[in-house]
Amino acid sequence: MSPPTYPPWVVLHIAHDSTVIPDAVRPSFRLSDADLALELERMTDHFTHALFAEPPGEAAVVRAPVSRLVVDVERFADDAQEPMAARGMGAVYQVTSHLAPLRRRLSSPEREALLRAWYHPHHERLEAAVADALERHGRCLVIDGHSFPGTALPYENADPAVRRPDICIGSDPFHTPKALEQAFAEAFGRGGWRVAVNEPFAGALVPASRYRRDRRVTAVMVEVNRDLYLEPGRPAPGPDFTRIATELKRRCAEALASVRD
Ligand SMILES: [Zn+2]
């Protein structure tokens, strides 16, 4: 069977799979090498590029080049707009997943410099990929590919008694048509995955210039439970990795085929 592919109007957004901490950024972290490695292990959406975007196809891929601990491209740049900023986890995190200090306090020029180096160029790439899809196809779907730990991290404020799903589909009230949300939930459900919508994580990302303005830009977030594809207790591909990666893309392709005009 040929590998499932996305249509050319899809843009795959991979925000959290990098573990890169640039040398210039490392000294601002208040963690030992061992603690930083542990934090990367906990917070990285390991191998989501491989899960969602390999092998390469017609869909554009926009992948953050640095770890979310450097800047989190999934958050609003402006803390006033970003709900997680109140927890110290806006675009530039102040705290770890365990709510301990992550980095020394940055001046606002230092914060701006980080955003200029790593946040804004990433969003320019996303804007360009979406503009290109609209120009060529008159439509665009941003699939925001993530993963989440099988057990909630302290920063999430999640109820530990709630069992986590295999897959979480995130939607936005403006950019995710109900039929699209349902198509994704049903495609995974038919494959035997335990599906939740907007739980444990909600929302779907679109570029700022289109946000709540341009209905031609649709979006869906797909978040996979890391317990399905990682070795227990360490960030290495587990025995089911290839099967999960293929099945994941197949379910996304099936969902898209069911809503195609
Ligand atoms: Zn993520």
Side-chain angles (χ1 to χ4, degrees), residues 11 26 33 38 80 99 105 119 127 129 157 198-199 234 258:
V11 172
R26 173 68 182 91
D33 286 349
L38 190 60
L99 304 173
R105 188 149 291 279
Y119 183 99
E127 292 274 4
N157 265 348
N198 290 323
E199 176 60 42
R234 68 189 188 101
S258 72

Side-chain angles (χ1 to χ4, degrees), residues 167-189:
I167 195 110
C168 159
I169 304 301
S171 63
D172 177 88
F174 185 93
H175 291 282
T176 316
K178 267 285 164 223
L180 183 70
E181 178 191 291
Q182 271 169 9
F184 272 80
E186 285 169 14
F188 281 97

Side-chain angles (χ1 to χ4, degrees), residues 16-17 40-48 51-52 68 75 97 144-156 158-159 162-170 188 193-203 221-231 233-235 244 248:
H16 291 155
D17 86 321
L40 283 169
E41 194 176 313
R42 288 170 172 152
M43 288 296 280
T44 305
D45 293 356
H46 302 280
F47 312 117
T48 40
L51 286 172
F52 287 93
R68 66 192 296 184
R75 309 278 203 247
S97 57
D144 199 16
H146 294 263
S147 68
F148 59 88
T151 305
L153 291 163
Y155 85 92
E156 295 177 28
D159 179 353
V162 174
R163 196 181 166 209
R164 304 197 125 187
D166 295 329
I167 195 110
C168 159
I169 304 301
F188 281 97
W193 301 55
R194 289 181 307 115
V195 186
V197 175
N198 290 323
E199 176 60 42
F201 296 96
M221 179 167 73
V222 180
E223 295 234 16
V224 196
N225 189 324
R226 289 179 206 150
D227 285 354
L228 294 186
Y229 71 89
L230 291 183
E231 292 270 4
R234 68 189 188 101
I244 293 289
L248 181 74

